[in-house]
Amino acid sequence: MPIWLVAHKMNRFNPLRQLTAVMLAFVLFVPPVSLLANNRKGDKLWNEARVEESKGNLDHALQLAEQAFETDPSDIGYQLEVRRVRFEAGEMHVKNGQKLRNAGKLSEALAEFEKAYGIDPASDIAAEEIKRTRAMIQRNSTPADNAGAAARESAAAREKEEDKTLTPSELSQKQTRERTDALLPIPELRPLNSDLIDLKMNRQTPRIMFETAAKLAGINVLFDPEYDTAQTIRAQSIDLSRTTLEQALDQISIVTKSFWKPLSANTIFVTVDNPTKRREYAEQVVKVFYLSNVTAPQEMQEMLTVIRTVVDVQKVFSFTSQNALIVRAEADTMALVEKLIADLDKARSEVIIDVMVMEVNSTHMRNITAAFASTGLSTSAIFAPRPGITTPGIQSTTTGSTTPTTTTTGTTATTTTPTTTGSTTAAGTPTSTNVPLNALSHISSADFSITSLPGAALDAVLNDSATRVLQAPQIRAVDNLKATLKIGEKVPTASGSFQPGVAGVGVSPLVNTQFTYLDVGVNMEVLPKVHENNEVSLHIDLDISQVDNYQNLGGISEPEIGQNKETADVRLREGEINLIGGIIQRTDTKSTTGIPGLANIPGLGWLFKGVNVENDRNELVIALIPHIVRGPDITESNLRGVAAGNATQIKVGYGPRKGAAEEKPVAIAQAATPPAAPGTVPRPTAAPVTTATAPPATAPTTPVPPATAPPLTPPATAPPLNPPATAAPVIAPPGTAPGLGIAKIGFSPATVDTQLSSTVTVTITGDNIADMTSAAAQLRYDPRILRINNIVAGDLPQRGIAPDSRTEPSKNILNDTGQADMAVNRGLNGGGISGAGGLFTVVFQAVGRGNTNVTVSSASLTASTGRPISVTVPPPLVVNVK
């Protein structure tokens, strides 16, 4: 009922009801203002959040989205916006933290990860990055660093507070993880003296040989209680020339038929070498290998077969869900397994193939007709008498004669329909041709007619059309895996039929027909194989088809498919173009119509004929262009063979490792000569092999020798084992002026002005350097302005070394991030070098305009004693690219 009618009826009652009616009308027509206001405010905040999100201000966008959600918590749109922006903001802070951590800023990175976890507590990656970064900070904090110790104490206190909130199950799991993390790997021998050993021993027992070599390196040696009784070799001679401790121990083991293994960082255990002792004392290692590049179960099985066949490891199991291998083997065997997995577990190469299909169709049609009867002459004369001369009364009825036909079969007579002869008009009306004899004299030309007389025509038509079809799909494929590309449509075609069980009348043939869908268009299958020399082998199955026409076969319209198919095996260089097609089809058609004889008259014949000329041309070109986006990552380490022991026992050896000097203990005490064991002769050297270095006051000066070790007998000329506390931090070798102080590093030149796209050569120089054997540095630069083309060693590291013995520096150039690492070593026979000169020569190329700085973020020099040389970081190099 309308509102006005309600109010009109209420007027009959008291004024109170009239007021009530007015209030009801007001409530109906005026919506709740406060609710609309809240919705308008929430929508405004929601729109502002979307704008801030598009600008990349995700933190502010999250605040606005949360404010919009507070205006109406029941709005599902606001809820979804808050959750989505919270996730994106957390991911943004995680990525920022990863960038800071890659730049070496661990504290700032940890703050970003914690902020990401605070925004989105459901982010597992943020929690993992927090744990990983805290572990890196703790690892980089040394015991002597007070700040690091304080940080660890604070972390320990924080962990204790966190334990209070854990459930018993969570606390048990944490304790299990801590015990698991506390499991120690196999012991790694770290001798106090890492200098090369020069020692010759004549007719010494195996025990004395081991004790002598161990005493020189400052390690302890323990023997099997059955060693002396089981040892069959009583005395041997050995010549150890410039060997490491591990090499010396291995050589002594071979000569004495012994087996040794490290028990700790400064202790080894020695026993006789036989299968029983090997099984009893050889260390067993269990390790889980997570294969990051295995994508199929077949690859996992192949990796398993390699380990079992090559290394003869029987205790190995594959865990498919994590792409992991669990291996238990001896320490040397495990090292060989690590080598094999590192060499085999590599990302497959990938290529992108550009497929260009170009099809050009052109039609040229010309029709010239200027003639009388251009299609020929077909004329007939017809007698059509006028009604006045035909027999009266018959022309309006059936013409011709009617003859009744009677057929008699047996005793029955049957009369059929009369047969009429005559003619009809063109319209189908019967025409009488019966002319009385007295009317023959009246026949004239008006009673005859001629049909299909030729007419004159002028027809000149020229039709020239061209169609160009260009398809350029792109397909990315992994090395040795087939990739398929299909661009087009599926066309149904009848593939068979069946007979229905119940016969019917009028059943459509489509009911009993089976159809198959064919792929029509560009269909391509490619199997690539990437080679190391930037070449790609391709096995290609290419099918380019289209529907040309349809035919009606048994009531079914079947497609006629035009097909261009090719199967090929080609090998191309990256970026090389291979033309598979080049198919040209041309059809020329010419047809002539006209009056015979007259059409052949020269000149005038064009008046009596027509000529139609049609030229069709179809050309198909297919081009393939491969681009390698990830090549084979085969390094020198993968190609290098390693010694793996003999046919019955796997044994690997280790050379000097990078960073071994930094891991050495602070206290180093070195013997000037080998122990004076009976029959032991020190090997003469051109220069002293060992020196003594002042240890800290709290560190022991000499290692405690084993109880069974022979006494050390240093010569009278050996330096004291306890030098004064004021000893110089850098020890100058013989022939070097002492007291050179701190080494200095700088750039030459210090300022560079250059043009865009030009190259700049800068030398990193060193001054006040004493007894240097190796140098390393790290550069930081702006990759938008500069890139590094090459790094070579300077003159100072190569000074005094024969040209054929010089080594190239190791370098790692990351032009994408603007970082370069470089290191150079003078080698084992180079010795220390002192003085000033170039350390590295860096070739830059200007790729952008502007002012920028090149800084040395870190630098280290190492003396021949293995101790680091104090060095100052230079001011930045200023580069101006115009």
Side-chain angles (χ1 to χ4, degrees), residues 580-597:
I580 294 181
I583 305 170
I584 300 176
Q585 181 179 0
R586 181 168 180 174
T587 304
D588 297 332
T589 304
K590 181 177 180 181
S591 60
T592 304
T593 58
I595 302 175

Side-chain angles (χ1 to χ4, degrees), residues 610-682:
V611 179
N612 186 2
V613 178
E614 184 175 354
N615 299 325
D616 295 332
R617 179 184 174 92
N618 187 355
E619 182 176 359
L620 179 65
V621 178
I622 306 167
L624 297 179
I625 309 173
H627 303 282
I628 299 176
V629 295
R630 181 186 289 116
D633 185 18
I634 301 176
T635 63
E636 182 182 359
S637 175
N638 303 139
L639 299 175
R640 186 179 68 249
V642 296
N646 51 43
T648 59
Q649 185 63 41
I650 293 179
K651 175 65 177 176
V652 298
Y654 296 93
R657 280 166 286 177
K658 184 178 180 181
E662 290 78 357
E663 297 176 355
K664 286 173 38 177
V666 178
I668 300 178
Q670 301 169 349
T673 60
T680 303
V681 179

Side-chain angles (χ1 to χ4, degrees), residues 53-68:
E53 179 186 359
S54 63
K55 294 180 180 179
N57 302 327
L58 296 179
D59 291 339
H60 191 203
L62 179 59
Q63 295 178 1
L64 294 173
E66 290 177 344
Q67 293 175 10

Side-chain angles (χ1 to χ4, degrees), residues 424-435:
T424 58
T425 61
T429 303
T431 304
S432 176
T433 58
N434 297 325
V435 180

